[in-house]
Amino acid sequence: MKGYQLTLYTQQNRRHEGKMLADWIVALAMEMGLRGATLVSGIEGFGHNRQFHSHHFFEMADQPMLILLALTEAECDALLQRLEREGVPLFYVKVPAEFGLMGSPLDG
């Protein structure tokens, strides 16, 4: 199948509707019937404003978070439009991708 790998970037301390933004996006992907989303915790990085974000031993609030999704063009457009309507501030990378399943069906 052809589509996109969409990577959304945020930090652990960002919230939307009272939830951690990354968790809210994963739940939104499930609600929209998307085939999956993977939440990845980063160790450190910096954003467009040159502000350093890092996972600290005692304080992880500023920890970088990535949400990875494999989407068809229609799914990608629908998700980005929904995030825009919600007013969610995010940096994203949208890369053309080919994806599919191999072997026997996976559990979960």
Side-chain angles (χ1 to χ4, degrees):
M1 187 175 294
K2 297 214 182 262
Y4 296 97
Q5 177 178 313
L6 183 65
T7 305
L8 306 170
Y9 295 79
T10 188
Q11 292 88 37
Q12 186 172 3
N13 61 353
R14 286 195 168 162
R15 299 255 185 251
H16 185 73
E17 295 185 354
K19 293 182 179 179
M20 189 174 85
L21 178 58
D23 288 341
W24 181 86
I25 293 171
V26 170
L28 174 63
M30 187 176 288
E31 172 191 311
M32 291 178 67
L34 304 178
R35 66 187 44 80
T38 301
L39 179 58
V40 179
S41 299
I43 295 174
E44 62 185 28
F46 67 91
H48 66 279
N49 62 0
R50 313 304 272 175
Q51 182 179 353
F52 189 71
H53 304 283
S54 180
H55 165 226
H56 302 283
F57 183 70
F58 293 107
E59 177 58 57
M60 298 190 315
D62 199 32
Q63 181 176 6
M65 306 294 285
L66 286 74
I67 303 101
L68 301 165
L69 304 104
L71 304 166
T72 65
E73 184 173 4
E75 291 168 338
C76 190
D77 290 346
L79 177 59
L80 290 174
Q81 288 171 10
R82 174 72 184 271
L83 293 171
E84 183 70 29
R85 280 195 312 272
E86 292 281 342
V88 176
L90 285 170
F91 177 78
Y92 70 91
V93 175
K94 178 179 164 182
V95 180
E98 181 176 324
F99 56 92
L101 295 172
M102 295 174 50
S104 20
L106 304 172
D107 286 337

